[in-house]
Amino acid sequence: MKLPEHLTIKDGHLMIGSHDCNDLAESYGTPLYVTDEKRIRENFTRYNSALKKHYNNVRMLYAAKANGNMAVLKTFADLGAGADVFSSGELHLALLAGMNPENLLFNGSSKTKEDLELAVDKGVRVSVDSFDELAQLSEVAKAKGKDVEISFRINPAIDVPTHPKIATGLATSKFGIPADQILDAYRAALEADNIDPVGMHCHIGSQILEVLPFAKAAEIMVKIAGKLTDIGVKLKFIDIGGGLGIPYHHDSDNAPTPEEYADAVMPVFLEGIARIGIKPELWVEPGRNLMGDTTILLTGVNSVKTAHKKFVNVDAGFNLLLRPAMYDSYHEVIVANRADQKPELEYTVTGPICESGDIIAADRMLPHVERGDLIAVLDCGAYGYSMASQYNCRPRCPEIMVNGDRSAYMRRGETVIDILNTMADLPWVEK
Ligand code: LLP
């Protein structure tokens, strides 16, 4: 199986950076999320340079939902990135990580009044998703005597080749302002108290393995930008979202590189803005492409069972990695302590959750597997831990970061006591 540079095989063991996965599992226990900081930096630098080669006026907003751990956010802050934040929680963490409020965009289709107040207080731009939200934001900003810069989330009505649950720019999607309302939305914003419409925003979907839809979205955005300029909107930024996929099937997915993405999108964007005669910043919001391959999930084998097929029962299930259950996603798995052995038998790797859909990897050829072995699930850095739950009263596992020969917790594992501590005794039930 093709492996990215930070994953290697040495003496039969899978290594992440300079760490033997078996030693990490021994020291920290399983299940365990392991993130390679160096890989984050490489991924960011590559994506950023690919775009900046075409246009220097680019701002990278890491999509914090992919993995919102403080250590990850601080790494991105150190690289000069901002963030796409989708909740007050993500906004607070991005600021605590040291990101400049100027480099954040508060996205979301259902914000509370408190969310809007926080954005105004902190001077963070808001991507507005409805006329109703615009009215409330205007009231909030006016009450505080402050102005707030906004974009609207545009619905570009684009069909993209990905799982329907993560195609976010369809005409039928819950996100964004439909085409026939966009000009009215900006007119309303130009007139609204304490609102300054300076941006446009869209996001067409996630795990997209073709560049054409991105180029199409850029074309739609610049077309609208021209009309907005005509009605007096002074655009400071155009945000084309994230969405570039990664090759989860290491040997067969043909995933576009960031350079191919940039080569497809940037000429369309640059010609478009040149035609209008404006020079807005280009904002992008990648999540998966920066984080996906940086992280593996190490999970221990509790037992092996032969029934109508061979099951490998491991200690991580969809409580820790929801993607296979939710989107039928594919993740490569490697037996980390037999990484140089030939595949011998077909196994299905299943988690400990009480649902038959709790399958991490179905029908995979693996070397002979035994109780006590260690399975590494690859490409878990985006939407892995961030979508984990405590289902079946299973405390969420730790996350560690490795950097050179160092390793450290970036989040300790939860305990059952942590779970219990959020529960309250009912006053009418005797102790
Ligand atoms: N910007 C906005 C407004 C978004 O909604 C998203 C992702 C992104 C940026 C980042 O997209 P990316 O570059 O990571 O594709 N849980 C799903 C993915 C959901 C993505 C939702 N929005 C999964 O595990 O595949």
Side-chain angles (χ1 to χ4, degrees), residues 31-47:
L32 180 70
Y33 270 102
V34 186
T35 297
D36 185 346
E37 182 184 333
K38 192 164 155 260
R39 186 65 178 177
I40 301 179
R41 291 177 182 274
E42 284 167 7
N43 288 349
F44 176 88
T45 305
R46 182 168 182 187
Y47 205 104

Side-chain angles (χ1 to χ4, degrees), residues 32-92:
L32 180 70
Y33 270 102
V34 186
T35 297
D36 185 346
E37 182 184 333
K38 192 164 155 260
R39 186 65 178 177
I40 301 179
R41 291 177 182 274
E42 284 167 7
N43 288 349
F44 176 88
T45 305
R46 182 168 182 187
Y47 205 104
N48 191 36
S49 320
L51 292 167
K52 291 226 166 108
K53 203 183 92 195
H54 294 263
Y55 188 54
N56 205 34
N57 231 349
V58 170
R59 231 183 253 210
M60 295 272 289
L61 277 67
Y62 163 61
K65 70 208 78 179
N67 181 329
N69 190 290
M70 184 54 78
V72 170
L73 295 175
K74 279 187 174 167
T75 304
F76 282 111
D78 184 51
L79 288 162
D84 138 40
V85 295
F86 224 82
S87 68
S88 286
E90 288 181 357
L91 174 50
H92 278 301

Side-chain angles (χ1 to χ4, degrees), residues 63 65 84 153 203 206 243 285-288 323 327 383 387:
K65 70 208 78 179
D84 138 40
R153 169 112 175 216
H203 174 72
S206 197
E285 302 176 341
R288 188 188 315 269
R323 304 194 68 258
Y327 317 108
Y383 312 107
M387 292 176 77

